[in-house]
Every structure is written in structure tokens, then in C-alpha cells.
Amino acid sequence: MTEHRPWARLEVVKGEAEAVAVAGDGVEVAGGALRIFRDDEGVVFVKAASKGVKVRGKEVGEEMTALVDDGDRIKVTGTAWEDGPVEYVVELVESDDGDDDSEHGFVTADYDMGKVLGTGNFATVRLGVCRKTGRKVAIKVCDKAKFARVQHRVGALLDEVSILRALQHPHILQLYDSYETEDHLYLVLELVSGGDLFDRIVDAGKLSEATARRVLRQVLEAVAYMHDEGVVHRDIKPENILLASRKGVETKVSDFGISRMLSVENGTTMGTMCGTPQYIAPEIVARTAYDAKVDMWSLGVLLYVMLSGDYPFVDNAPLTIPEQIQRGLYSEGAKDLCRRLMQHDPAIRWSAPQALTHPWIRGAELVETPFPDADPPASASDDESGDKRRGAPRHKAVVSVMISRAIAALDDRKGSTATAIAKYIAANYDAPPTRAELKRALAAATKAGRITHSGSRYKLGG
């Protein structure tokens, strides 16, 4: 018989009962009143067999499930167990600290909220589990006040909900539910565990053509669908393309915060200046009316970034876009598709259905490699600071994204120091920038207003 090392203990703090060591697939507790177990990713759950089981002071509900974290208290009342009330405290061998969810009110009646998965300018994403079904989800908690300071229109948050409800596609992140309070908007979303495409490109240096083609094909299918439904994303970039898992290549287009639903009533063109500078189409920059073709330009930039590991617009480079495509990409098929997507004139820029017919997208001559394998990186080299690392030099716009993510994750009200930012990036990216690259990117991001600088500390720009 195989012996399993306990991964949790339930110590008795009130009542008459024995302490419980939890190992293997979990155990039943308090005469079967509840079962404590964990999934393959180490997330711990309690499932109540009857009423009278409380976690963190909240009733779990008969045949319902709740998340459990280190230090949580589980109370079993006499109605659930004949031997009388008993209260346990959970001690996990390995655990992640969760945040207090008391402020989230009625949302926790349907979903138990666990650890923080990520943070941004105005939102925090937390692990959740549906109390009725036990399905794990991601709960995006949007702070309305912070959003208004960034986007200047709280109604845009509700637009995102309406758009996500209208879209059902295997390569678009699914919205299961939403809740609204005076201060917050909660989006209950499909949970994915593979991170985003930006991190994968940075870690790999660049992607192989076979992998980039597979990613682009899936995103094109999603964009063709959303355009057919009248939705323009307006912020397609690697950071907004999620991976369903760390193995394989299944993508999910996410973050519809600045998307727009076009119709005869709402209009078929737009004029708002928005998007991420490295990915926005020329007609947006020119502040002229534009349509869904702006997403196609962004997809052209995405293709270039995946295959080259850099942006097609290098500072002070006296090259036209076709010249940069010729220089930065390898195969003629990829070059041809990229040129068709990055046409200055949107009238001749290819649509998503057209792009899906391109020979490079349909071709099978390349042997697909497991994601995130990439073409061999350049050999390590020294820069003026004496640092050495793997891969090609990082463009400061790429490093700027890393910096913004680091500041958001560190979440220091006083601001983050350059040292703290550098340590975070080094811990989260396989090929971090050199000190000189980080210094240049901090200066550029400050000048552009993406971050602010006071003394030795940096904060996200408003």
C-alpha cells in the first residue's frame, strides 16, 4: 500500500474531536459531514454533505463546494454531526495567501473567492470556484473609481460585459457571469492557466514559424467571428492573447475593455484615439474615421513580433514598413501575409476571412514544434554595462511592458524602486533586460507618461 505524506492538517480549536491529517485524494471529516480534497494544481476544496458546515464563517451549503486556504476555519454544527459542534483550523503544508473577501458581498454567495492570480491598473483577478458545480473560474474584480481615472467613462466596463455576453467562440475567453455593486464590477470568466502570449514570446526570444502560424490562425478565426458579429477589438496584442494551458497551443482572445459594437444604430465607423501605440493602425494615429480593419493592422504587427521577437518600428530606423518586414522575417509566405495586413490604406488591407485563405496560413510544409519552442536564440553578448544574458537585445517598448507589469504586481502605494522592478522582472522572465536596457526603458516610459517618477520610486501613469 502506498503511503501519502499529509499535505494538510485540521487542528481542533473548539469541540470534541480528533485532529485530522489530510493526504492523498483527501478525507471525509466529522463523520462524513464534509470532505476536504485538492485538485491536480494544489487548490484545496471542501465539499459539504449536508447543511451546517461553514468555512470562514459562511455556510457552504448542502452538496456545495468552497475554496480553503491556510489558516481558514471550518465549523461543523450539531445539525451536521451528532457529536456536537466542532471547529477546525486548516494548516496547509504549502499554500498561497488569499485576500479577505468580506467586501465582495453577494458575489461570494455563488462563488468562493481565493488567491490573487494577477493585478492591473484597475482590476484584480482572483481564483474562484462555483459553490454549486465546483467549477474553477477566474473572477476579475474591477474598481470603478480606478477605471474612471484611466478610461474616463465607467460605462465602458458595462460595454465589455455586453460584448462578452454576445460572443461565444472557442478562441475567445468566455464570460460565465457578472455582478455589479456601487464600487466594483465582477466578471466571472473562463479560467486559463497558460499565461499570455507576450510572456511566452519574451521567454522564447521568438516563435518558430509553425507555432506562430498556428497561433495566428486561431486568432484570425476569432477576429473573423467577432467582426461578423459587429465587434471591433481595438487592442489586439500578445498581452491580450491568453493560452489555455502551459502545454499545447490553444489561444483565447481576452480584454474587450475598449472594444466597440458596430451597428446601423451605433454607426459603422469610429473616431476615438485608443489602443496600444505599437499596434494601432495609421488611420487611428491620423485621427480619421476607421472601421474593423484596424484589428487587421494589429494582427500584422502581432505576426511580425511573434516571428522576430521585436516591434517593426525601430527608433530612428530609416526603413519603410515593407523594408522592415523584408529585414525582420524569414519566409516569403510570412512576409507576404504581413505586408497584406500592414497596408496603410485600409481599403486594400486584407480582412480576416481573406487572411485565413493565405497559403502561409493554410500551408503544412513546416513541421510544428511544441509551444513555446522557438528558433535558436542569438548567442549571449555583452552590453556597455557588462551584463550578459541569452538572446537578442530587448527593444525598450518591450521592456516598458515588463516594467508596467512589475509595478502593477508589486502594488506598492509609495511606488516601486528600479531595484525592485529589476528583481521582479528577473524572477518572472527567462531572458530579462540588461541594466542599461532597463534604464533606457524607464526613461522612455516616464517621458511617454506610462509611468511617473518621484525620487527613486516609479508608479503607473494615470
Side-chain angles (χ1 to χ4, degrees):
M1 180 179 295
T2 302
E3 293 186 3
H4 296 281
R5 179 183 176 186
W7 45 262
R9 284 183 59 83
L10 301 184
E11 296 290 349
V12 179
V13 291
K14 289 183 182 179
E16 297 294 330
E18 298 289 333
V20 179
V22 187
D25 295 330
V27 297
E28 290 187 348
V29 180
L34 63 96
R35 181 170 180 267
I36 182 168
F37 61 98
R38 65 179 180 178
D39 65 10
D40 293 338
E41 297 178 2
V43 180
V44 183
F45 302 86
V46 157
K47 185 168 185 179
S50 62
K51 296 180 180 180
V53 177
K54 295 183 179 182
V55 174
R56 298 187 300 277
K58 295 181 180 180
E59 180 79 24
V60 176
E62 187 174 358
E63 296 300 323
M64 291 192 179
T65 307
L67 288 168
V68 179
D69 210 341
D70 191 50
D72 285 348
R73 295 206 173 196
I74 301 172
K75 186 174 183 178
V76 185
T77 67
T79 57
W81 190 32
E82 296 178 355
D83 290 352
V86 63
E87 187 170 352
Y88 301 93
V89 63
V90 180
E91 295 182 2
L92 301 183
V93 175
E94 295 180 0
S95 65
D96 293 295
D97 292 335
D99 289 346
D100 177 24
D101 60 7
S102 59
E103 65 175 305
H104 303 300
F106 62 87
V107 179
T108 56
D110 297 327
Y111 295 91
D112 198 24
M113 297 174 68
K115 65 182 180 180
V116 174
L117 301 176
T119 58
N121 289 346
F122 58 84
T124 298
V125 180
R126 296 180 61 177
L127 176 67
V129 63
C130 178
R131 293 184 180 277
K132 291 183 179 180
T133 67
R135 178 174 62 186
K136 290 192 292 183
V137 297
I139 302 178
K140 184 177 179 180
V141 185
C142 304
D143 187 309
K144 289 183 177 180
K146 289 182 179 179
F147 181 85
R149 289 196 293 270
V150 175
Q151 298 290 345
H152 309 295
R153 189 172 74 88
V154 175
L157 275 175
L158 301 179
D159 292 345
E160 180 177 8
V161 174
S162 299
I163 288 171
L164 283 172
R165 286 194 182 283
L167 299 178
Q168 297 289 326
H169 190 274
H171 297 303
I172 295 176
L173 195 68
Q174 186 176 351
L175 175 71
Y176 296 131
D177 215 337
S178 65
Y179 301 82
E180 185 179 8
T181 65
E182 183 177 351
D183 299 320
H184 295 94
L185 180 69
Y186 301 83
L187 305 183
V188 181
L189 300 161
E190 178 182 5
L191 179 66
V192 294
S193 59
D196 65 48
L197 186 61
F198 176 85
D199 285 348
R200 296 300 185 88
I201 295 171
V202 169
D203 287 344
K206 57 181 177 179
L207 305 185
S208 68
E209 285 215 1
T211 301
R213 174 170 50 194
R214 191 171 175 185
V215 169
L216 188 65
R217 184 191 300 128
Q218 293 178 13
V219 178
L220 279 168
E221 290 172 355
V223 170
Y225 165 78
M226 69 175 75
H227 285 181
D228 193 51
E229 295 293 317
V231 174
V232 185
H233 191 282
R234 299 201 294 184
D235 199 20
I236 293 175
K237 57 184 178 180
E239 297 94 310
N240 290 339
I241 299 172
L242 306 180
L243 284 304
S245 68
R246 298 194 179 279
K247 296 181 179 179
V249 189
E250 183 184 353
T251 61
K252 303 281 184 178
V253 178
S254 68
D255 200 343
F256 288 75
I258 61 173
S259 300
R260 176 82 179 272
M261 178 80 79
L262 300 183
S263 64
V264 175
E265 295 79 11
N266 297 334
T268 56
T269 61
M270 299 155 283
T272 304
M273 179 73 172
C274 63
T276 301
Q278 291 79 22
Y279 295 88
I280 59 177
E283 56 267 35
I284 297 180
V285 178
R287 296 182 181 274
T288 59
Y290 59 86
D291 59 16
K293 287 288 188 71
V294 298
D295 284 345
M296 304 313 298
W297 175 278
S298 301
L299 287 171
V301 179
L302 173 67
L303 174 58
Y304 187 98
V305 170
M306 286 193 294
L307 291 177
S308 71
D310 207 346
Y311 295 112
F313 312 109
V314 180
D315 296 340
N316 303 318
L319 300 175
T320 64
I321 289 174
E323 287 172 336
Q324 292 195 53
I325 291 172
Q326 182 66 30
R327 180 200 64 179
L329 303 187
Y330 178 71
S331 77
E332 291 303 319
K335 292 175 184 177
D336 182 74
L337 177 56
C338 199
R339 291 189 195 101
R340 294 177 187 275
L341 294 174
M342 295 183 68
Q343 289 288 336
H344 270 272
D345 184 355
I348 60 175
R349 189 181 305 152
W350 269 21
S351 66
Q354 284 177 305
L356 283 167
T357 68
H358 192 278
W360 187 82
I361 286 290
R362 294 187 291 107
E365 71 279 4
L366 293 175
V367 177
E368 293 193 346
T369 54
F371 198 83
D373 287 355
D375 298 331
S379 59
S381 61
D382 295 349
D383 75 339
E384 64 268 32
S385 69
D387 289 323
K388 292 184 178 182
R389 64 176 176 82
R390 175 178 68 82
R394 297 292 184 204
H395 187 272
K396 62 174 173 278
V398 176
V399 182
S400 177
V401 176
M402 297 182 187
I403 291 170
S404 296
R405 290 184 163 203
I407 294 173
L410 292 169
D411 195 24
D412 190 332
R413 293 183 180 180
K414 296 180 180 179
S416 301
T417 64
T419 300
I421 293 169
K423 286 182 178 179
Y424 177 87
I425 292 174
N428 287 276
Y429 294 95
D430 289 342
T434 63
R435 289 194 296 270
E437 288 171 347
L438 182 63
K439 183 178 180 181
R440 287 194 294 268
L442 284 168
T446 301
K447 184 177 181 180
R450 289 189 291 274
I451 62 175
T452 60
H453 183 210
S454 177
S456 62
R457 294 183 176 272
Y458 296 87
K459 294 182 179 181
L460 292 174

